[in-house]
Amino acid sequence: MLVPSQLAGSAPSGVPQHWHDIDWCRVQQNVRAMQIRIAKACREGNWRRVKALQRMLTRSRSARYLAIRRVTENQGKRTAGVDRVLWDTPDAKWKAANGLKRHGYKPRPLRRVFIPKSNGKERPLGIPTMTDRAMQALYLLALAPIAETTGDPNSYGFRIERSTADAMGQLFVCLSKKASAQWVLEADIKGCFDHINHDWLIENVPTDKEILRKWLKAGVIHKGQLQATNAGTPQGGIISPTLANLVLDGLESQLKQHLGVTKAKKLKINVVRYADDFVITGSSKEMLENEIKPWVEQFLAVRGLQLSLEKTHVVHIDEGFDFLGWNFRKYGGKLLIKPAKKNVKAFYRKVKEVISTNKAVKQEELIRLLNPILRGWALYHQPVVAKKAYSRMDHQIFQALWRWAKRRHPNKSLDWVREKYFQTYENRSWVFATTVITESGGKEAIRLYALEATPIERHRKISGDFNPFDPSMEEMGEALRMSRMLGKLKYRKQILHLFQSQKGLCVLCKSPISRETGWHDHHIIYRSQGGGDSLDNRVLLHPICHQQLHARGLTVYKPAPPRGGFVKT
């Protein structure tokens, strides 16, 4: 295992003088320590102290560095706002970090873009400028501990270490038994992000009121015209999902408080929510329609929201319902969770589009385009009853690829087409595969990912009361992070080996590597200098640590004794 020595290159006072001088381990420790104090004050109901600690955190140098890092490393780092400015150099990031201040801050309008939805409609996104994104990320650092502490136990959308699979697991707990609730209110909020009441947000969200008001009233530029924003939070802002969660938090706790804990248990009331989609279980259809649904409508109306009439239904569990891409239904008293038909059709359309728009590419290129899509869909449905759906989808994709192959060679025989594009692998025939020459001159087989080969593995649900900012749950959080990362990496055996050998930590900064941080596979001796691809010559680093290593001329090494570090070359 590698143990890095202390970072060098900073000013004598310990204050960094350049972006790559920042000690990210210390930065993360400083921010997390303050977030833990905020969560503690929140649990104690000391809101005056919460406000003071939030102010201290948002004005700290460490929080500013971490906010800039987030917006320059996420997927939107190459998407500019209305000012067309990107922070794509270390100097630009350093200048932005030092200029990120509350005094004199005025957000720019959002840039309106539209992305297609699965139902054929378009979803409007509002793209903030880099400065506005960084300010949102900064204030989110101070708001997240409160959102996690006060959030409903069974709210799973846009929360740390929570996922759709956790929501599915909770529904299985609520519906799988013989004595479980038989009726379900399947609900959807109409245009949730677009209609949230600004006055309610400003009054109830525990953050800087003036800054929040500026974000909400910044306006949107669409087709060159400035449009006012009188309601809603922009989809595209870093802080928007957390604001939406804060608006809907209380749906579960206040409903049970309204009914009384004993009555809620007797009526088999359970609320499971993911973002603005939620379901409520109950013992009877009449009770859900006449008592629960009106209460929910009143709860939402105060916040400027209303239920979507076309997507809100009360159904019996024997009829089944769709939620988060899965179908929940009892067959002869046994609950089975399967990929929803709508989800399967949307996935096949996506695969078919990739195949039809790449009629002339090489076979290996088409396989490289398809494999991430296939693997991602298969792993999403891995915890449910999906074997039949996998098999059916494999057959449909084979038919599409067979048509793709025949179209390329209309004058060749079918046997010739089969031999060129399909191989036999292990116990499977008709495997869409080819052989390519590697950089070293050897041969490598590239095969299409087989959905049917994906093993079904039950998901271990997170505890509803888990709080990532509670020190007593630190061990639980680390174990959960490690197990989920190992699950994510099990199909990438070399990366998995490196991750395990480093105990899930970045070699340079000793902070955890996660799905959110990402990682780079670094060669200790560069391949251009003769270094090989063996595991002894590779380590996993955070992307920012990898950049820091190259910028400062550092190198990591793995000596024979269990000691190590990095030195300047």
Side-chain angles (χ1 to χ4, degrees), residues 223-304:
K223 295 182 178 179
Q225 298 293 319
L226 177 62
Q227 301 173 356
T229 47
N230 298 315
T233 62
Q235 295 187 65
I238 285 177
I239 204 171
S240 294
T242 302
L243 293 178
N245 265 339
L246 286 167
V247 169
L248 296 174
D249 279 333
L251 186 63
E252 177 182 3
S253 57
Q254 290 182 30
L255 175 58
K256 291 187 176 181
Q257 185 179 353
H258 165 73
L259 294 171
V261 177
T262 305
K263 184 179 178 182
K265 189 174 182 180
K266 183 179 179 180
L267 296 175
K268 302 176 183 178
I269 299 296
N270 295 285
V271 182
V272 179
R273 179 170 66 84
Y274 188 91
D276 58 339
D277 293 330
F278 62 93
V279 295
I280 302 176
T281 68
S283 57
S284 71
K285 181 177 183 179
E286 293 73 20
M287 182 267 299
L288 288 174
E289 286 185 339
N290 302 328
E291 187 173 356
I292 303 302
K293 186 178 176 182
W295 184 91
V296 170
E297 289 173 336
Q298 185 180 359
F299 175 88
L300 295 176
V302 175
R303 294 153 175 79

Coordinates of all heavy atoms in Angstrom, one line a residue, residues 223-304:
K223 N -33.9 32.2 -26.9 CA -33.9 32.8 -28.2 C -33.6 34.3 -28.2 O -34.3 35.1 -28.8 CB -35.3 32.6 -28.9 CG -35.6 31.1 -29.2 CD -36.9 30.9 -29.9 CE -37.2 29.4 -30.1 NZ -38.5 29.2 -30.8
G224 N -32.7 34.6 -27.3 CA -32.2 36.0 -27.3 C -33.1 36.9 -26.4 O -32.8 38.1 -26.2
Q225 N -34.2 36.4 -25.8 CA -35.1 37.2 -25.1 C -35.0 36.8 -23.6 O -34.9 35.7 -23.2 CB -36.6 37.0 -25.5 CG -36.8 37.4 -27.0 CD -36.7 38.9 -27.2 OE1 -37.1 39.7 -26.4 NE2 -36.1 39.2 -28.3
L226 N -35.0 37.8 -22.7 CA -34.9 37.6 -21.3 C -36.4 37.4 -20.7 O -37.2 38.2 -20.9 CB -34.3 38.8 -20.6 CG -34.3 38.7 -19.0 CD1 -33.4 37.6 -18.6 CD2 -33.7 40.1 -18.4
Q227 N -36.6 36.3 -20.1 CA -37.9 35.9 -19.5 C -37.7 35.9 -18.0 O -36.8 35.3 -17.5 CB -38.3 34.6 -20.1 CG -38.5 34.5 -21.6 CD -38.8 33.1 -22.1 OE1 -38.8 32.2 -21.3 NE2 -39.0 33.0 -23.4
A228 N -38.7 36.4 -17.3 CA -38.7 36.4 -15.9 C -39.0 35.1 -15.3 O -39.7 34.3 -16.0 CB -39.8 37.4 -15.3
T229 N -38.5 34.7 -14.1 CA -38.8 33.5 -13.5 C -39.5 33.8 -12.2 O -38.9 34.2 -11.2 CB -37.5 32.7 -13.2 OG1 -36.5 33.6 -12.6 CG2 -36.8 32.1 -14.4
N230 N -40.8 33.6 -12.2 CA -41.7 33.9 -11.1 C -42.0 32.7 -10.2 O -42.6 32.8 -9.1 CB -43.0 34.5 -11.6 CG -42.7 35.8 -12.3 OD1 -41.9 36.6 -11.9 ND2 -43.4 36.0 -13.5
A231 N -41.6 31.5 -10.7 CA -41.9 30.3 -9.9 C -40.9 29.2 -10.3 O -40.3 29.3 -11.4 CB -43.3 29.8 -10.1
G232 N -40.7 28.2 -9.5 CA -39.8 27.1 -9.9 C -38.4 27.2 -9.6 O -37.9 28.4 -9.3
T233 N -37.7 26.1 -9.6 CA -36.2 26.2 -9.6 C -35.7 25.6 -10.9 O -36.2 24.6 -11.4 CB -35.7 25.3 -8.4 OG1 -36.1 23.9 -8.6 CG2 -36.2 25.8 -7.1
P234 N -34.6 26.1 -11.4 CA -34.1 25.7 -12.7 C -33.6 24.3 -12.7 O -32.7 24.0 -11.9 CB -33.1 26.7 -13.1 CG -32.6 27.2 -11.8 CD -33.8 27.2 -10.9
Q235 N -34.0 23.4 -13.6 CA -33.4 22.1 -13.8 C -32.1 22.4 -14.5 O -32.1 22.8 -15.7 CB -34.3 21.2 -14.6 CG -35.6 20.9 -13.9 CD -36.4 19.8 -14.7 OE1 -36.0 18.7 -14.8 NE2 -37.6 20.2 -15.2
G236 N -31.0 22.0 -13.9 CA -29.7 22.3 -14.5 C -28.8 22.9 -13.4 O -27.6 22.9 -13.6
G237 N -29.4 23.5 -12.4 CA -28.6 24.1 -11.3 C -28.2 23.1 -10.3 O -28.9 22.1 -10.1
I238 N -27.0 23.2 -9.8 CA -26.4 22.2 -8.9 C -27.3 22.0 -7.6 O -27.5 21.0 -7.1 CB -25.0 22.5 -8.5 CG1 -24.1 22.2 -9.7 CG2 -24.5 21.8 -7.3 CD1 -22.6 22.6 -9.5
I239 N -27.8 23.2 -7.1 CA -28.5 23.1 -5.9 C -30.0 22.8 -6.1 O -30.7 22.5 -5.1 CB -28.4 24.5 -5.2 CG1 -28.6 24.4 -3.6 CG2 -29.3 25.6 -5.8 CD1 -28.2 25.6 -2.9
S240 N -30.5 22.8 -7.3 CA -31.9 22.6 -7.6 C -32.5 21.3 -7.0 O -33.6 21.3 -6.4 CB -32.2 22.7 -9.1 OG -32.0 24.1 -9.5
P241 N -31.8 20.1 -7.2 CA -32.4 18.9 -6.7 C -32.6 18.9 -5.2 O -33.5 18.4 -4.6 CB -31.4 17.8 -7.1 CG -30.7 18.4 -8.3 CD -30.6 19.9 -8.0
T242 N -31.6 19.5 -4.5 CA -31.7 19.6 -3.0 C -32.8 20.6 -2.6 O -33.6 20.3 -1.6 CB -30.4 20.1 -2.4 OG1 -29.3 19.2 -2.8 CG2 -30.4 20.2 -0.9
L243 N -33.0 21.7 -3.3 CA -34.1 22.5 -3.0 C -35.5 21.8 -3.2 O -36.4 22.0 -2.4 CB -34.1 23.8 -3.9 CG -32.9 24.8 -3.7 CD1 -33.0 25.9 -4.7 CD2 -32.9 25.3 -2.3
A244 N -35.6 21.0 -4.3 CA -36.8 20.3 -4.5 C -37.1 19.3 -3.4 O -38.2 19.1 -3.0 CB -36.7 19.6 -5.9
N245 N -36.0 18.6 -3.0 CA -36.1 17.7 -1.9 C -36.6 18.3 -0.6 O -37.5 17.8 0.1 CB -34.8 17.0 -1.6 CG -34.7 15.6 -2.3 OD1 -35.7 15.0 -2.7 ND2 -33.5 15.2 -2.5
L246 N -36.1 19.5 -0.3 CA -36.5 20.3 0.9 C -38.0 20.7 0.8 O -38.7 20.7 1.8 CB -35.6 21.5 1.1 CG -34.2 21.2 1.6 CD1 -33.3 22.4 1.4 CD2 -34.2 20.7 3.0
V247 N -38.4 21.0 -0.4 CA -39.8 21.3 -0.6 C -40.7 20.1 -0.3 O -41.8 20.3 0.3 CB -40.1 21.8 -2.1 CG1 -41.6 21.9 -2.4 CG2 -39.4 23.2 -2.3
L248 N -40.3 18.9 -0.7 CA -41.2 17.8 -0.6 C -40.9 17.0 0.7 O -41.7 16.1 1.0 CB -41.0 16.8 -1.8 CG -41.4 17.4 -3.2 CD1 -41.0 16.5 -4.3 CD2 -42.9 17.7 -3.2
D249 N -39.9 17.3 1.4 CA -39.6 16.7 2.7 C -40.8 17.0 3.7 O -41.2 18.1 3.8 CB -38.3 17.1 3.3 CG -37.1 16.3 2.7 OD1 -37.3 15.2 2.3 OD2 -36.0 16.9 2.7
G250 N -41.2 16.0 4.4 CA -42.4 16.2 5.2 C -43.6 15.4 4.7 O -44.5 15.1 5.4
L251 N -43.5 15.0 3.4 CA -44.6 14.3 2.8 C -44.9 13.0 3.6 O -46.0 12.6 3.9 CB -44.3 14.0 1.4 CG -45.4 13.3 0.5 CD1 -46.6 14.2 0.4 CD2 -44.9 12.9 -0.9
E252 N -43.8 12.3 4.0 CA -43.9 11.1 4.8 C -44.1 11.4 6.2 O -45.1 10.8 6.8 CB -42.6 10.2 4.6 CG -42.6 9.0 5.4 CD -41.3 8.2 5.2 OE1 -40.4 8.6 4.5 OE2 -41.2 7.1 5.8
S253 N -43.2 12.2 6.8 CA -43.3 12.4 8.3 C -44.6 13.1 8.7 O -45.2 12.8 9.7 CB -42.1 13.1 8.8 OG -41.9 14.4 8.1
Q254 N -45.0 14.2 7.9 CA -46.1 14.9 8.3 C -47.4 14.1 8.1 O -48.4 14.3 8.8 CB -46.2 16.2 7.5 CG -45.1 17.2 8.0 CD -45.2 18.5 7.2 OE1 -46.3 19.0 6.8 NE2 -44.1 19.2 7.0
L255 N -47.4 13.3 7.0 CA -48.6 12.4 6.8 C -48.8 11.5 8.0 O -50.0 11.3 8.5 CB -48.4 11.6 5.5 CG -49.5 10.6 5.2 CD1 -50.9 11.3 5.1 CD2 -49.3 9.9 3.9
K256 N -47.8 10.8 8.4 CA -47.9 9.9 9.6 C -48.2 10.7 10.9 O -48.9 10.1 11.7 CB -46.6 9.1 9.7 CG -46.4 8.1 8.6 CD -45.2 7.2 8.8 CE -45.1 6.2 7.6 NZ -44.0 5.3 7.8
Q257 N -47.7 11.9 11.0 CA -48.1 12.7 12.1 C -49.5 13.1 12.1 O -50.2 13.1 13.1 CB -47.2 13.9 12.2 CG -47.4 14.8 13.4 CD -46.4 16.0 13.4 OE1 -45.6 16.1 12.5 NE2 -46.6 16.9 14.3
H258 N -50.0 13.4 10.9 CA -51.4 13.8 10.7 C -52.4 12.6 11.0 O -53.4 12.8 11.7 CB -51.7 14.2 9.2 CG -53.1 14.3 8.8 ND1 -53.9 15.3 9.2 CD2 -53.8 13.5 8.0 CE1 -55.1 15.1 8.7 NE2 -55.1 14.0 7.9
L259 N -52.0 11.4 10.6 CA -52.8 10.3 10.9 C -52.7 9.7 12.3 O -53.6 9.2 12.9 CB -52.5 9.1 9.9 CG -52.9 9.4 8.4 CD1 -52.3 8.3 7.5 CD2 -54.4 9.5 8.2
G260 N -51.4 9.9 12.8 CA -51.1 9.3 14.1 C -50.3 8.0 13.8 O -50.7 7.3 12.9
V261 N -49.3 7.8 14.5 CA -48.4 6.6 14.2 C -49.2 5.3 14.3 O -49.0 4.4 13.4 CB -47.2 6.6 15.2 CG1 -46.3 5.3 15.0 CG2 -46.4 7.8 15.1
T262 N -50.0 5.1 15.3 CA -50.8 3.9 15.4 C -51.7 3.7 14.2 O -51.8 2.6 13.7 CB -51.5 3.9 16.7 OG1 -50.6 4.1 17.8 CG2 -52.2 2.5 16.9
K263 N -52.5 4.7 13.9 CA -53.4 4.6 12.8 C -52.7 4.4 11.5 O -53.2 3.6 10.6 CB -54.3 5.9 12.7 CG -55.4 5.8 11.7 CD -56.2 7.1 11.6 CE -57.3 7.0 10.5 NZ -58.1 8.3 10.5
A264 N -51.6 5.1 11.2 CA -50.9 4.9 10.0 C -50.4 3.5 9.8 O -50.4 2.9 8.7 CB -49.7 5.9 10.0
K265 N -49.9 2.9 10.9 CA -49.5 1.5 10.9 C -50.6 0.6 10.6 O -50.5 -0.4 9.8 CB -48.8 1.2 12.2 CG -48.1 -0.2 12.2 CD -47.3 -0.4 13.5 CE -46.6 -1.7 13.5 NZ -45.8 -2.0 14.7
K266 N -51.8 0.8 11.2 CA -53.0 0.0 11.1 C -53.5 0.1 9.6 O -53.9 -0.9 9.0 CB -54.1 0.4 12.0 CG -55.3 -0.4 12.0 CD -56.4 0.1 13.0 CE -57.6 -0.8 12.9 NZ -58.7 -0.3 13.9
L267 N -53.4 1.3 9.0 CA -53.9 1.5 7.6 C -52.8 1.1 6.6 O -53.0 1.2 5.4 CB -54.3 2.9 7.4 CG -55.5 3.4 8.2 CD1 -55.7 4.9 8.0 CD2 -56.7 2.6 7.9
K268 N -51.6 0.6 7.1 CA -50.5 0.2 6.3 C -50.0 1.3 5.3 O -49.7 1.1 4.2 CB -50.9 -1.1 5.5 CG -51.4 -2.2 6.3 CD -51.9 -3.4 5.5 CE -52.4 -4.5 6.4 NZ -52.9 -5.6 5.7
I269 N -49.9 2.5 5.9 CA -49.4 3.6 5.2 C -47.9 3.6 5.1 O -47.2 3.7 6.1 CB -49.9 5.0 5.8 CG1 -51.5 5.0 5.8 CG2 -49.3 6.2 5.1 CD1 -52.1 5.1 4.5
N270 N -47.4 3.6 3.9 CA -45.9 3.7 3.7 C -45.7 4.7 2.5 O -46.4 4.5 1.5 CB -45.3 2.4 3.4 CG -45.4 1.4 4.5 OD1 -44.6 1.5 5.5 ND2 -46.3 0.5 4.5
V271 N -44.8 5.6 2.6 CA -44.5 6.5 1.6 C -43.0 6.2 1.1 O -42.1 6.2 1.9 CB -44.6 8.0 2.1 CG1 -44.3 9.0 0.9 CG2 -45.9 8.3 2.7
V272 N -42.9 6.1 -0.2 CA -41.5 5.9 -0.8 C -41.4 6.9 -1.9 O -42.3 6.9 -2.9 CB -41.4 4.5 -1.4 CG1 -40.0 4.3 -2.0 CG2 -41.5 3.4 -0.3
R273 N -40.4 7.8 -1.8 CA -40.3 8.9 -2.8 C -38.9 8.9 -3.4 O -37.9 8.6 -2.8 CB -40.5 10.2 -2.1 CG -40.4 11.4 -3.0 CD -40.9 12.7 -2.4 NE -40.1 13.1 -1.3 CZ -39.0 13.8 -1.4 NH1 -38.5 14.2 -2.5 NH2 -38.3 14.2 -0.3
Y274 N -38.9 9.1 -4.7 CA -37.6 9.4 -5.4 C -37.8 10.7 -6.2 O -38.5 10.7 -7.2 CB -37.3 8.3 -6.4 CG -35.9 8.4 -7.0 CD1 -34.8 7.8 -6.3 CD2 -35.6 9.2 -8.1 CE1 -33.5 8.0 -6.8 CE2 -34.4 9.3 -8.6 CZ -33.3 8.8 -8.0 OH -32.0 9.0 -8.5
A275 N -37.2 11.8 -5.8 CA -37.3 13.1 -6.4 C -38.8 13.5 -6.3 O -39.4 13.5 -5.3 CB -36.7 13.1 -7.8
D276 N -39.4 13.7 -7.5 CA -40.9 14.1 -7.5 C -41.8 13.0 -7.8 O -43.0 13.2 -8.0 CB -41.1 15.3 -8.5 CG -40.7 14.9 -9.9 OD1 -39.9 14.0 -10.1 OD2 -41.2 15.5 -10.9
D277 N -41.3 11.8 -7.9 CA -42.1 10.6 -8.1 C -42.3 9.9 -6.7 O -41.3 9.6 -6.1 CB -41.5 9.6 -9.1 CG -41.5 10.2 -10.5 OD1 -42.4 11.0 -10.8 OD2 -40.6 9.9 -11.3
F278 N -43.5 9.5 -6.4 CA -43.7 8.8 -5.1 C -44.9 7.9 -5.2 O -45.8 8.1 -6.0 CB -43.8 9.8 -3.9 CG -45.0 10.7 -4.0 CD1 -46.2 10.4 -3.4 CD2 -44.9 11.9 -4.7 CE1 -47.3 11.2 -3.4 CE2 -46.0 12.8 -4.7 CZ -47.2 12.4 -4.1
V279 N -44.9 6.9 -4.3 CA -46.0 6.0 -4.1 C -46.4 5.9 -2.6 O -45.5 6.1 -1.8 CB -45.7 4.6 -4.7 CG1 -45.5 4.6 -6.2 CG2 -44.5 4.0 -4.0
I280 N -47.6 5.8 -2.4 CA -48.1 5.6 -1.0 C -49.0 4.4 -0.9 O -49.9 4.2 -1.7 CB -49.0 6.8 -0.5 CG1 -48.2 8.1 -0.7 CG2 -49.5 6.6 0.9 CD1 -49.0 9.4 -0.3
T281 N -48.6 3.4 -0.1 CA -49.4 2.2 0.1 C -50.5 2.4 1.1 O -50.4 3.3 2.0 CB -48.5 1.1 0.5 OG1 -48.0 1.3 1.9 CG2 -47.3 0.9 -0.4
G282 N -51.5 1.6 1.0 CA -52.6 1.6 2.0 C -53.4 0.4 2.0 O -53.3 -0.5 1.1
S283 N -54.3 0.2 3.0 CA -55.1 -1.0 3.1 C -56.4 -1.0 2.3 O -56.9 -2.1 2.0 CB -55.5 -1.2 4.6 OG -56.2 0.0 5.0
S284 N -56.8 0.2 1.8 CA -58.0 0.2 1.0 C -58.0 1.3 -0.1 O -57.3 2.3 0.1 CB -59.3 0.4 1.8 OG -59.3 1.7 2.3
K285 N -58.7 1.1 -1.2 CA -58.8 2.1 -2.3 C -59.5 3.3 -1.8 O -59.0 4.4 -2.1 CB -59.5 1.4 -3.5 CG -59.6 2.4 -4.7 CD -60.2 1.7 -5.8 CE -60.3 2.6 -7.1 NZ -60.9 1.9 -8.2
E286 N -60.6 3.2 -1.0 CA -61.4 4.3 -0.6 C -60.6 5.2 0.3 O -60.6 6.4 0.2 CB -62.6 3.8 0.1 CG -63.6 3.1 -0.7 CD -63.2 1.7 -1.1 OE1 -62.3 1.1 -0.4 OE2 -63.7 1.1 -2.1
M287 N -59.8 4.6 1.2 CA -59.0 5.4 2.1 C -57.9 6.2 1.4 O -57.7 7.4 1.7 CB -58.3 4.5 3.2 CG -57.5 5.2 4.2 SD -55.7 5.3 3.7 CE -55.3 3.6 3.6
L288 N -57.3 5.6 0.4 CA -56.2 6.3 -0.4 C -56.9 7.5 -1.2 O -56.3 8.6 -1.3 CB -55.5 5.4 -1.3 CG -54.5 4.4 -0.6 CD1 -54.0 3.4 -1.6 CD2 -53.4 5.2 0.1
E289 N -58.0 7.2 -1.8 CA -58.7 8.2 -2.7 C -59.3 9.3 -1.9 O -59.3 10.5 -2.3 CB -59.7 7.6 -3.6 CG -59.0 6.8 -4.7 CD -60.1 6.2 -5.7 OE1 -61.3 6.1 -5.3 OE2 -59.7 5.9 -6.8
N290 N -60.0 9.0 -0.8 CA -60.8 10.0 -0.1 C -60.1 10.6 1.1 O -60.6 11.7 1.6 CB -62.1 9.3 0.4 CG -62.9 8.7 -0.7 OD1 -62.9 9.2 -1.8 ND2 -63.6 7.6 -0.4
E291 N -59.1 10.1 1.6 CA -58.4 10.7 2.8 C -56.9 11.0 2.5 O -56.5 12.2 2.8 CB -58.4 9.7 4.0 CG -57.9 10.3 5.3 CD -58.1 9.4 6.5 OE1 -58.8 8.3 6.3 OE2 -57.7 9.7 7.6
I292 N -56.2 10.1 1.9 CA -54.8 10.4 1.7 C -54.5 11.3 0.5 O -53.7 12.3 0.7 CB -54.0 9.0 1.5 CG1 -54.2 8.1 2.7 CG2 -52.5 9.3 1.2 CD1 -53.8 8.6 4.0
K293 N -55.1 11.1 -0.6 CA -54.9 11.9 -1.8 C -55.3 13.4 -1.5 O -54.5 14.3 -1.9 CB -55.7 11.3 -3.0 CG -55.4 12.1 -4.3 CD -56.2 11.4 -5.4 CE -56.0 12.2 -6.7 NZ -56.8 11.7 -7.8
P294 N -56.5 13.7 -0.9 CA -56.8 15.1 -0.6 C -55.7 15.7 0.3 O -55.4 16.9 0.1 CB -58.1 15.0 0.1 CG -58.7 13.8 -0.4 CD -57.6 12.8 -0.6
W295 N -55.2 15.0 1.3 CA -54.2 15.5 2.2 C -52.9 15.9 1.4 O -52.3 16.9 1.6 CB -53.9 14.5 3.3 CG -52.9 15.1 4.3 CD1 -53.2 15.8 5.4 CD2 -51.5 15.1 4.2 NE1 -52.0 16.2 6.1 CE2 -50.9 15.8 5.3 CE3 -50.6 14.5 3.3 CZ2 -49.6 15.9 5.6 CZ3 -49.2 14.7 3.5 CH2 -48.7 15.3 4.6
V296 N -52.5 15.0 0.5 CA -51.3 15.2 -0.3 C -51.5 16.4 -1.2 O -50.6 17.2 -1.4 CB -51.0 13.9 -1.2 CG1 -49.9 14.2 -2.2 CG2 -50.6 12.8 -0.3
E297 N -52.7 16.6 -1.8 CA -53.0 17.7 -2.6 C -52.9 19.0 -1.9 O -52.4 20.0 -2.4 CB -54.4 17.6 -3.3 CG -54.4 16.5 -4.3 CD -55.9 16.3 -4.8 OE1 -56.8 16.6 -4.1 OE2 -56.0 15.7 -6.0
Q298 N -53.4 19.0 -0.6 CA -53.3 20.2 0.2 C -51.8 20.5 0.6 O -51.4 21.6 0.6 CB -54.1 20.0 1.5 CG -54.2 21.2 2.4 CD -55.0 21.0 3.6 OE1 -55.6 19.9 3.8 NE2 -55.1 22.0 4.5
F299 N -51.1 19.4 0.9 CA -49.6 19.6 1.2 C -48.9 20.2 0.1 O -48.0 21.1 0.3 CB -49.1 18.2 1.6 CG -47.6 18.1 1.8 CD1 -47.0 18.3 3.0 CD2 -46.7 17.9 0.7 CE1 -45.7 18.3 3.3 CE2 -45.3 17.8 0.9 CZ -44.8 18.0 2.2
L300 N -49.2 19.8 -1.1 CA -48.5 20.3 -2.3 C -48.9 21.7 -2.7 O -48.1 22.5 -3.1 CB -48.7 19.4 -3.5 CG -48.1 17.9 -3.4 CD1 -48.5 17.1 -4.6 CD2 -46.6 18.0 -3.3
A301 N -50.2 22.0 -2.5 CA -50.8 23.3 -2.9 C -50.1 24.4 -2.1 O -49.8 25.5 -2.7 CB -52.3 23.3 -2.6
V302 N -49.8 24.2 -0.9 CA -49.1 25.2 -0.1 C -47.7 25.6 -0.7 O -47.2 26.7 -0.6 CB -48.8 24.7 1.4 CG1 -48.0 25.7 2.2 CG2 -50.2 24.5 2.1
R303 N -47.1 24.6 -1.4 CA -45.8 24.8 -2.0 C -45.9 25.2 -3.5 O -44.9 25.2 -4.2 CB -45.0 23.5 -1.8 CG -44.6 23.2 -0.4 CD -44.5 21.8 -0.1 NE -44.0 21.5 1.3 CZ -44.8 21.6 2.3 NH1 -46.1 21.8 2.2 NH2 -44.3 21.3 3.5
G304 N -47.1 25.4 -4.0 CA -47.3 25.8 -5.4 C -47.4 24.7 -6.3 O -47.3 24.9 -7.5

